[in-house]
Amino acid sequence: MAHLLNTSFIPSSQTLRRNRNFPAGVGISGRRSRAQVQAKIREIFMPALSSTMTEGKIVSWVKSEGDKLSKGESVVVVESDKADMDVETFYDGYLAAIMVEEGGVANVGSAIALLAETESEIAEAKAKANSSSSSAATPSPAPEPQPGKIAENVGSAPVTQTVKTPPVAVASTHPASEEGRRIVASPYAKKLAKELKVDLARVVGSGPLGRIVAKDVEAAASSAVEAAATATVSAAAGGAATVAPGIELGTVVPFTTMQGAVSRNMVESLSVPTFRVGYTITTDALDALYKKVKSKGVTMTALLAKATALALVKHPVVNSSCRDGQSFTYNSSINIAVAVAIDGGLITPVLQDADKVDIYSLSRKWKELVDKARAKQLQPHEYNTGTFTLSNLGMFGVDRFDAILPPGTGAIMAVGASQPTAVGTKDGRIGMKNQMQVNVTADHRVIYGADLAAFLKTLASIVEDPKDLTF
Amino acid sequence: MQSSLSLSVSPNTSLGIHRSNCNAFQSLPLKPINLRFCGLRREVLGFSALKQSDSHRVCLPTRARSKKVVSASLSDNGTPKSFDYDLLIIGAGVGGHGAALHAVEKGLKTAIVEGDVVGGTCVNRGCVPSKALLAVSGRMRELQSEHHLKALGLQVAAAGYDRQGVADHANNLASKIRNNLTNSMKALGVDILTGFGTILGPQKVKVGSSDKVVTAKNIIIATGSVPFVPKGIEVDGKTVITSDHALKLESVPDWIAIVGSGYIGLEFSDVYTALGSEVTFIEALDQLMPGFDPEIGKLAQRVLINPRKIDYHTGVFATKITPAKDGKPVTIELIDAKTKEPKDTLEVDAALIATGRAPFTQGLGLENIKVATQRGFVPVDERMRVIDSNGNLVPHLYCIGDANGKMMLAHAASAQGISVVEQVTGRDHVLNHLSIPAACFTHPEISMVGLTEPQAREKAEKEGFEVSIAKTSFKANTKALAENEGEGLAKLIYRPDNGEILGVHIFGLHAADLIHEASNAIALGTRIQDIKLAVHAHPTLSEVLDELFKSAKVSDHASSSVSDPVAV
């Protein structure tokens, strides 16, 4: 076993071989943005160092950002469930951005760093690393969403991570902090805040002399999840998953905070003049693609979100909203919110920049968001920055339904199940095709029937010829 | 000295001398002394240890304490002079105690002067009570680690502790060891003189404030050290404390800043975090645990610092620390260690000053013999002989332990004391400090002996030899895995050309107990090619070292003194 720790050791030939056997695009996936400029930025991902390894911890980065790497060189030391091993790069290039810091943990297959082919691409890769947050449950600071993005977003809940917001407002209440110039938090509180991604500047301390202690951070983190209810909500998905056993019949049970918020939002939605447009989309090609990429962790939700986002790129008006009854607000990013039923409520985790982030990252991000939602650890910017909402009841066999528009957004799409259907084809034959029905609810003040129709046509063409989804 | 494993060396020459010495004073046979506290055993002292112990076997039963004065004067080479004692030791800490015991064993009439309590820092305010606290913290840690317990299939309801009970355990342990120490010396006939010792002149010491003057043929200064408190720091003993206070565990603060991340600071961080405190380290150097091998330090930080409720500021000095009063917390002003610019102010519940220890040599009367201390330390040569301000050796005066600053460890002091006794009884001896192990009793423990990797590489460059590194992980050790404590690393720094062990560093379960195989090998000059053939019981943690030695690559032409394992 000693040999495992020799520094120049290469993980294991078995692992290497396995990685190389992966179809291109999984291990180190070439990333192409829509602008076609990032072809040479590759991901370095968490390798599977043993058959039982599901996640790995970064022991140390042998190289630092900006270092030149040559093929076969050790880049990072990873601790698996078995031992510490050096991981080498398969490509020449520059270590552009480290996405999981030392001590951080990342799931096998998730990106831990970006590799730029030339020096000039380092900055670009760094930007990329910032915008696509890694899926790692890492203690490193979470990539901050760009302030501009948030400023244009509609969420009514406090936006915690804007750079523009000075932390002074709340911190001034700490007597121990010299009139708010400093944040006084205990070591564990700081650690927790980093883990739970709580902004200490917005936490009121209850410790000695107003010091922020661990329980304040925990309270702040859980209230953030409760506040989730004030976020956008789509009604349709609500009831389906929540008929829980153990309900005592004949009793009156008050709303939870989240349910109360849902109720308020639903009532508020009545003030918006909405209309609906439906479309039937053939999904054979999408299903085939899904089958192919499923093993790489790609989910149907991510595929749908990606397809929707790509369609929205061409129809910015469908991604807009009406806030004051007098203007269009064209959102700068395409953030797809996806309704998720959780434990007596409903929340809409947001896939930010779904048009730009590649499908693999998007799938990982989705998994991370769902895990967080389950653990009630979603941060406000992760559930209230959606610009377009998806609600999918297809998995329950629902073939069509109607969604209520969440206040503050322009449109929501209800997705039904994809089912084998006998259809007449253009060449006059009858054949079986998988088809699904989608139904978009939109705010008619900004989005008109023709807009939706054009959008749905684009969406249908993307879904029916989905090669762009995985680029 | 590659013949160290061979038992065939006949110690005839030295044996003869010792035997005659011993037999000359037959009376009052005493039992062999087995009491050692924080001390080294004499066998590790030098390369000729086996010869020495052989001769002891003859001498031990015939040691006597009468007629010592005669022997002392007889041996004084023709200038007969009467001394009260053969050997007078100032300071009854672990160093003084080790020296006294060995002196008695060697047949010297010995007295020890103590102005405070027997046992010194180690027993009363250092290693001993801290081990009691660490024993508690280790168990608390285990009981609190749900994950760890679950993996073992254990279910334990919430663990709690009673602070006073923990404090009492530490205090009781200290007094028990103190009594053992006192009794062991009394039983051997060491005179314990109470009062502070002041050197009046050569071979002359005043004890206490009385006019009692004692003469001795040889004098050992073993006055030890006190916690070092940098200026600007106000210690009140309640909220700003040193290890002296912390060991009494009068309170467990919610948040304590520990200034200094060496052994003392690390051990206390282990205790405090296990008892529920949060800790902030303040370290002047750029990285935590500066004294450790960098690789071990890095791993230790991953295990002992990062996952715990600890944060840290490195590269900063605490220039001013004000105790809590009038409802205000303890405030700590930090400046950048390099630019000296103010960096931060911390408000915490308590601060522990663990910035090292300062020698306790004031009032010793060193000026009477023209010795000038250097930053408080008594200058000595490699034989612990005191050097005066002109650079000359002061005859019959030695200084051991923290007071000389060579290696501030209890067992190093004891080893130095034994080395001095060897010299005054006619056997030249130089202690190899590189063979003295050190340990930090965190959970898991850290231990080391010899050089760190950077030190070894520097030496190798200077002297033109090659350095190799071998490492083994606790993750592959059966016993460690059985305990579910696979986190750990053992690292061997050696010369591949001749198999010499330059240093061994261990981080892992019971590392402090494991290091002695390596330190003994260094002390005895055992080479890797020899020790790798030794057998270790399976399954034991010691197999980590077995693996370590076996994984070292020593060049084939390096000679081996043991070609085949021989049953003896």
Side-chain angles (χ1 to χ4, degrees):
Chain A
M1 33 121 272
H3 63 277
L4 295 185
L5 287 158
N6 285 345
T7 42
S8 59
F9 195 74
I10 296 166
S12 78
S13 51
Q14 200 186 356
T15 314
L16 288 182
R17 232 174 291 128
R18 198 159 77 196
N19 292 339
R20 284 180 178 140
N21 283 346
F22 275 161
V26 173
I28 293 191
S29 63
R31 299 166 62 117
R32 257 180 300 140
S33 81
R34 301 189 55 75
Q36 302 288 319
V37 286
Q38 294 177 348
K40 301 298 163 52
I41 296 169
R42 296 186 162 98
E43 284 180 359
I44 297 174
F45 68 119
M46 175 62 70
L49 298 176
S50 72
S51 54
T52 53
M53 177 174 168
T54 56
E55 58 174 32
K57 187 167 158 193
I58 308 289
V59 175
S60 62
W61 283 98
V62 182
K63 304 283 177 178
S64 356
E65 288 188 0
D67 284 1
K68 190 173 181 351
L69 307 174
S70 40
K71 195 174 161 183
E73 232 179 321
S74 291
V75 185
V76 59
V77 182
V78 167
E79 179 189 291
S80 72
D81 50 344
K82 301 263 186 330
D84 292 0
M85 294 182 189
D86 284 25
V87 175
E88 59 172 27
T89 167
F90 304 127
Y91 295 91
D92 294 341
Y94 293 86
L95 185 58
I98 287 173
M99 293 161 80
V100 181
E101 295 294 330
E102 289 185 6
V105 174
N107 290 328
V108 167
S110 67
I112 55 176
L114 293 181
L115 184 70
E117 189 161 284
T118 63
E119 221 162 339
S120 56
E121 284 162 343
I122 293 178
E124 198 183 300
K126 273 194 177 146
K128 192 85 184 163
N130 282 336
S131 61
S132 71
S133 61
S134 78
S135 66
T138 160
S140 66
E144 304 227 337
Q146 273 102 46
K149 205 191 301 173
I150 285 175
E152 288 188 25
N153 268 322
V154 291
S156 52
V159 175
T160 52
Q161 296 205 351
T162 42
V163 180
K164 284 175 186 166
T165 317
V168 185
V170 179
S172 61
T173 58
H174 309 164
S177 66
E178 299 170 11
E179 286 84 44
R181 272 180 286 135
R182 296 190 312 110
I183 296 167
V184 178
S186 79
Y188 187 46
K190 282 185 211 154
K191 256 182 200 175
L192 267 183
K194 221 168 170 185
E195 250 166 57
L196 303 175
K197 301 206 174 78
V198 169
D199 183 2
L200 284 176
R202 305 204 150 252
V203 176
V204 180
S206 69
L209 298 162
R211 173 195 305 161
I212 300 172
V213 293
K215 69 175 163 54
D216 301 330
V217 176
E218 278 161 358
S222 63
S223 73
V225 172
E226 272 169 35
T230 62
T232 59
V233 161
S234 86
T242 57
V243 187
I247 289 174
E248 209 175 313
L249 300 176
T251 56
V252 176
V253 180
F255 286 154
T256 62
T257 322
M258 184 186 275
Q259 288 160 341
V262 171
S263 165
R264 275 194 305 280
N265 272 327
M266 291 306 94
V267 172
E268 198 187 327
S269 74
L270 293 176
S271 63
V272 179
T274 54
F275 74 113
R276 291 146 189 91
V277 176
Y279 208 102
T280 300
I281 303 176
T282 302
T283 60
D284 289 308
L286 186 71
D287 294 340
L289 175 73
Y290 176 55
K291 221 177 242 172
K292 230 166 67 190
V293 293
K294 195 177 171 185
S295 60
K296 296 172 193 170
V298 174
T299 61
M300 191 46 114
T301 302
L303 281 172
L304 283 173
K306 183 79 198 172
T308 308
L310 292 181
L312 285 173
V313 171
K314 294 187 179 153
H315 304 277
V317 70
V318 183
N319 196 42
S320 73
S321 62
C322 179
R323 298 191 190 173
D324 50 7
Q326 293 166 12
S327 59
F328 291 83
T329 301
Y330 290 105
N331 292 305
S332 60
S333 342
I334 296 176
N335 298 339
I336 306 289
V338 184
V340 173
I342 48 166
D343 187 27
L346 179 61
I347 199 160
T348 54
V350 175
L351 289 165
Q352 286 177 348
D353 292 311
D355 56 327
K356 299 196 181 86
V357 180
D358 70 72
I359 190 69
Y360 306 104
S361 307
L362 207 59
S363 302
R364 286 196 297 269
K365 182 72 195 172
W366 179 244
K367 186 174 178 303
E368 180 194 332
L369 287 171
V370 170
D371 288 346
K372 272 187 175 173
R374 209 169 280 140
K376 307 202 169 177
Q377 282 175 2
L378 279 180
Q379 297 305 296
H381 73 95
E382 289 172 322
Y383 57 75
N384 66 11
T385 55
T387 57
F388 185 97
T389 311
L390 270 185
S391 182
N392 183 359
L393 292 184
M395 59 287 223
F396 298 108
V398 169
D399 66 339
R400 87 202 81 128
F401 70 105
D402 178 39
I404 294 180
L405 181 67
T409 60
I412 179 170
M413 182 162 77
V415 180
S418 173
Q419 293 171 322
T421 316
V423 287
T425 58
K426 277 176 190 154
D427 53 6
R429 300 184 192 184
I430 294 175
M432 292 300 285
K433 288 203 185 298
N434 287 332
Q435 291 196 320
M436 69 174 179
Q437 298 194 38
V438 299
N439 188 16
V440 181
T441 305
D443 181 346
H444 207 301
R445 290 172 298 175
V446 287
I447 302 166
Y448 301 173
D451 297 329
L452 275 191
F455 162 74
L456 286 168
K457 186 160 187 268
T458 308
L459 178 65
S461 68
I462 291 171
V463 170
E464 284 163 14
D465 183 11
K467 62 179 184 311
D468 283 351
L469 294 182
T470 52
F471 48 79
Chain B
M1 280 313 300
Q2 295 185 13
S3 59
S4 52
L5 281 179
S6 154
L7 292 177
S8 62
V9 176
S10 168
N12 281 332
T13 44
S14 64
L15 186 63
I17 294 160
H18 282 272
R19 195 199 298 269
S20 61
N21 234 351
C22 295
N23 289 345
F25 315 108
Q26 271 191 8
S27 70
L28 288 177
L30 289 165
K31 277 187 181 170
I33 308 118
N34 288 321
L35 288 164
R36 303 278 172 188
F37 305 97
C38 306
L40 268 187
R41 304 178 48 184
R42 64 166 184 275
E43 279 80 2
V44 303
L45 283 176
F47 294 157
S48 50
L50 281 170
K51 287 187 190 177
Q52 186 202 339
S53 62
D54 250 7
S55 65
H56 282 182
R57 247 168 254 156
V58 180
C59 289
L60 276 171
T62 59
R63 247 177 298 107
R65 68 185 167 121
S66 63
K67 300 182 190 170
K68 287 297 146 38
V69 181
V70 182
S71 104
S73 53
L74 275 180
S75 60
D76 204 7
N77 216 11
T79 50
K81 190 178 168 191
S82 178
F83 292 103
D84 297 339
Y85 295 100
D86 296 330
L87 182 65
L88 182 75
I89 302 161
I90 307 176
V94 168
H97 176 259
L101 257 59
H102 193 61
V104 172
E105 199 171 310
K106 285 290 194 178
L108 302 183
K109 185 181 183 200
T110 308
I112 199 159
V113 180
E114 180 53 60
D116 189 20
V117 283
V118 170
T121 297
C122 172
V123 173
N124 299 294
R125 298 173 301 271
C127 358
V128 170
S130 69
K131 293 305 100 43
L133 297 183
L134 283 158
V136 172
S137 78
R139 283 175 172 77
M140 276 302 284
R141 223 169 259 298
E142 267 176 38
L143 294 173
Q144 285 167 343
S145 169
E146 240 173 81
H147 175 73
H148 186 252
L149 291 171
K150 222 180 189 173
L152 294 170
L154 285 177
Q155 286 168 352
V156 177
Y161 69 93
D162 162 36
R163 185 198 53 78
Q164 194 54 51
V166 178
D168 290 346
H169 173 50
N171 193 30
N172 293 343
L173 178 69
S175 29
K176 188 181 222 166
I177 302 295
R178 183 166 60 234
N179 290 337
N180 284 351
L181 230 65
T182 312
N183 293 341
S184 71
M185 289 198 288
K186 278 187 181 154
L188 291 172
V190 175
D191 286 346
I192 300 175
L193 313 174
T194 307
F196 284 96
T198 310
I199 298 170
L200 295 178
Q203 299 170 303
K204 210 187 280 177
V205 171
K206 186 178 81 147
V207 178
S209 49
S210 65
D211 291 334
K212 186 179 176 192
V213 175
V214 184
T215 58
K217 182 167 184 300
N218 289 295
I219 296 170
I220 297 179
I221 299 169
T223 45
S225 61
V226 291
F228 170 67
V229 178
K231 68 175 170 40
I233 296 176
E234 190 188 326
V235 171
D236 71 345
K238 298 277 176 231
T239 56
V240 179
I241 57 178
T242 65
S243 56
D244 288 1
H245 312 103
L247 288 165
K248 293 184 188 139
L249 201 73
E250 278 169 357
S251 70
V252 178
D254 289 342
W255 183 3
I256 184 164
I258 299 182
V259 185
S261 65
Y263 298 74
I264 302 174
L266 262 186
E267 290 191 355
F268 275 108
S269 79
D270 196 283
V271 171
Y272 278 118
T273 52
L275 298 184
S277 301
E278 295 178 32
V279 169
T280 296
F281 269 121
I282 297 167
E283 173 58 54
L285 295 170
D286 283 337
Q287 61 177 53
L288 290 176
M289 298 175 255
F292 296 90
D293 183 86
E295 198 168 355
I296 296 286
K298 208 167 173 184
L299 179 64
Q301 183 171 337
R302 280 208 288 134
V303 177
L304 301 177
I305 309 272
N306 296 346
R308 295 186 182 170
K309 296 175 179 177
I310 302 176
D311 69 350
Y312 50 86
H313 299 262
T314 52
V316 290
F317 286 129
T319 44
K320 189 157 185 269
I321 300 185
T322 319
K325 56 178 159 237
D326 308 330
K328 281 191 189 143
V330 176
T331 54
I332 303 176
E333 286 173 25
L334 300 178
I335 61 161
D336 191 290
K338 289 194 191 84
T339 63
K340 309 287 177 212
E341 277 166 21
K343 210 159 172 197
D344 211 343
T345 306
L346 304 179
E347 288 109 352
V348 294
D349 298 322
L352 168 66
I353 313 306
T355 43
R357 301 187 60 86
F360 180 60
T361 51
Q362 269 186 340
L364 252 178
L366 291 169
E367 60 285 353
N368 298 335
I369 43 165
K370 296 193 181 57
V371 170
T373 58
Q374 293 164 357
R375 290 181 298 125
F377 293 109
V378 178
V380 292
D381 70 353
E382 79 279 5
R383 289 179 172 79
M384 311 303 142
R385 293 179 289 196
V386 175
I387 300 169
D388 70 12
S389 44
N390 299 324
N392 301 322
L393 294 176
V394 180
H396 307 295
L397 183 63
Y398 301 82
C399 177
I400 62 168
D402 289 4
N404 71 30
K406 271 184 179 292
M407 197 177 209
M408 295 173 84
L409 294 167
H411 49 271
S414 181
Q416 290 170 355
I418 292 168
S419 173
V420 168
V421 171
E422 285 290 306
Q423 289 171 55
V424 303
T425 50
R427 183 171 161 272
D428 190 26
H429 185 268
V430 178
L431 179 63
N432 176 13
H433 282 86
L434 286 176
S435 73
I436 298 180
C440 184
F441 294 83
T442 43
H443 296 93
E445 296 169 344
I446 312 171
S447 62
M448 70 209 73
V449 65
L451 304 174
T452 63
E453 186 178 339
Q455 285 168 347
R457 297 221 180 268
E458 196 188 318
K459 187 179 178 196
E461 191 147 322
K462 238 184 253 165
E463 298 177 14
F465 58 84
E466 229 184 293
V467 168
S468 285
I469 309 288
K471 284 179 257 183
T472 54
S473 164
F474 279 62
K475 281 196 179 93
N477 180 276
T478 311
K479 189 72 188 308
L481 291 178
E483 301 281 344
N484 209 7
E485 302 271 3
E487 194 93 57
L489 176 75
K491 175 174 175 180
L492 168 69
I493 302 156
Y494 65 102
R495 285 181 63 158
D497 57 341
N498 62 7
E500 183 187 345
I501 301 171
L502 301 172
V504 173
H505 303 263
I506 310 174
F507 173 76
L509 186 62
H510 295 311
D513 292 311
L514 292 177
I515 194 69
H516 298 98
E517 184 166 8
S519 64
N520 287 357
I522 293 178
L524 300 172
T526 313
R527 299 297 163 102
I528 294 167
Q529 57 270 34
D530 299 332
I531 202 167
K532 76 200 294 184
L533 301 175
V535 180
H536 297 69
H538 176 77
T540 57
L541 290 172
S542 70
E543 287 172 294
V544 169
L545 284 188
D546 187 27
E547 287 257 14
L548 188 65
F549 294 132
K550 286 191 162 77
S551 67
K553 307 251 180 306
V554 180
S555 66
D556 293 336
H557 54 78
S559 63
S560 167
S561 61
V562 182
S563 47
D564 283 307
V566 181
V568 286

